Amino acid sequence: MPEREDFVERIQQQLQTEDIFSEADTEECVELLSEREQRTIADRESVQLNRIIAKQFKAIEDEREVPFNQDDVVISGPNTSGKTSLVESIRFNLLGRQQHQRITLTDPVTEGYETLYTDGFWQVNGDEYHIHRELSDEGRGYSDHDRPKLVENPDGREISLASRDEQRDVSELIGLWPYEARDFGRYNMFSLFFLDSEDAKGFVDWSDKTTFLDLLFGLDLTKVIEASKTRRANAYDPTDAEQNAPQELKIAEERMHELETEVEELREQRDGVRGELNQRKEELASVEEVLSGENELEQLRSEKARLNRRINSLQSDRLDKRDELRQTRQQLSRYQESELSREIEPLARDLQEIMSLPDRCPICTNDVTTEQAERLLEHGDCPLCNKEVPDERIEVGSETDAEERVLEQQERREEIERLQQQEQELEGDIRMLEQQVEDLEEQLETIEEQIEETDLTEYADRRDRLENEVADLEREATSVQVELNAREEELEEVRERVEELRELKEQFDRKSHKQQMLQSFERIVSAEIDYERGNIQQELEEIMGNLLDYFTQGLFADSTGVSFNSENSYEFTIFRSEGENKPSNRANADSVEGFMQSLLFQTAVLKYLDSLEGSLPIRLFVVDSPYAKEPDGGNAHDITSFVSQLPLELENYQVIVTVATTALANLDAYEDHYRQYGF
């Protein structure tokens, strides 16, 4: 029996080799594989027909009963005698009158009657089942009037129709239900087992036969692709917000950085204005104090003393800043020297070859020979002496040490940057303190001059000027603060938006990855389907090629073989040594060519299915009126040769053939392998 389950293992192996699949992705794909629609492993081995009774069914007016007893049977009789009606009653007995299918049962009730009746007795795994089905028009159409009555191991008593069964019960009995639940029509599926001359290419022309055959053959991966596509559409389809997030995030982050710079600049500007404002207010208060005092000279001296104290305080601060700057520069110098030593380390190694060699090994302290010294220069081996090294001289290293040194180096560089930034800030602070000292010394000089002159006119002018400066600085401080508040508020909103967009972008990136991952998974599964279908097609081509040997005189007498047109379907072409090749997809359903192609293909499919464990249990092949499309008899010999040998080719199937008793039919050819029944 051909084994098809190993394709799941091959798919899993391929998932593990492609970089796009993470461990979680692989688990998700394996889950899709494990949840696929498993091929139906039927618990029944065969479904065959014991007998059929039909009454008022199409051309059968009176009740007709044919005992098949699971034998291969040829039903012969004149045209219009009801042979086709009888085999159609077999199909109706199993399937009912399914509507909205390409193959339908039209006008089933015999003209002049209102109700038809069928009773089928079916052998299923050694047990007999009686299926009764009737259909009445009653002026309301046929809808829901064909429900079956199913009886297991009937005892011959009349059955009660008080409570009928459902079609699902019959479909489950004959193994069709798992496929019918996948929305394959019963009549379409059964056309594989029922070759009707009125629709010779019924099964071959069925658009869904490729998917149906894949399932029958154990190639049940089509639903995996459908499930993957559904998951991509439902779970991993990005929303509009997620799709726009990457571009919007880029814009928002740029705006956030702009605002952070603006806010920092505004804060510095605000602090500068406030500092200058406080200084002017102090000056103004001092001047007003001088002007309001009764003892002008004492006030000037008091101001002089205050300025001296302020100058001393600022100079002390300046000394502290200079000391801090000196310490910072010392730290910076040490870090820079350490960094430099690492940068010139490769150069030091290059100088190793020209350095003077020690008499004793610097590692183990043993004497160094000339040979060992040469080895140091040539190979850089360590230890030099190749002797046992004292334990206290050995230093153990690891990859962790190397990683720690890398981290150390990164931290050192970050510390250098911090110290350089601190150096710049300290230099700025010192310059500011020196400027303040200089300003105060100028004020002190002015006070000292005023003490000498004891004239307060300049104080009054200075007060007026300071009052104007204070007013201007207060307005400027207010304006800067308002602008700063607005920028900080906008910055907070932008930061919240950035966080929101980052989450959306993460979702978009995750879904985009999942989309790409599942598309790759579908590609892998599709390739596996094509590969496995190609193997199946090779086996079918071999079977069909052997079956072509029956065609020796007619249309396909010069056939050289069969080939399937692509790995995507079961369309095929019969190749001929002379004349045009015959593809199965040409519009020839009403010709003998179409009938013979269907006969060849369906026989090969049934024969191949017979080799599979647990395949569809129906073991029935009905061929209705094989000569009806060939009035000139050109292919009658080949059809007879093929159909008469079907019981040998399909040894586990019950073959039922209807033949009109005309000059075309050679009934003697069927005697060896069929039981004949006259109609």
Side-chain angles (χ1 to χ4, degrees), residues 33 91 153 302 330 335 351 384 408 560 603 614 639:
L33 282 171
R91 182 170 60 185
N153 294 320
S302 175
Q330 288 176 348
Y335 275 101
L351 293 174
L384 296 174
E408 238 176 81
T560 59
T603 301
I639 292 174

Side-chain angles (χ1 to χ4, degrees), residues 500-514:
E500 178 184 345
L501 289 171
R502 283 174 178 168
E503 292 179 4
L504 289 172
K505 183 179 181 298
E506 287 179 4
Q507 288 291 338
F508 175 76
D509 292 341
R510 184 183 69 86
K511 289 182 177 180
S512 296
H513 167 76
K514 290 293 188 180

Side-chain angles (χ1 to χ4, degrees), residues 210 213-214 217 533 536-537 540 564 569-572 601:
T210 295
L213 288 176
D214 283 344
F217 295 153
R533 191 183 291 130
I536 294 170
Q537 289 173 348
L540 289 175
F564 286 90
S569 73
Y570 290 96
E571 302 293 345
F572 61 91
F601 179 66

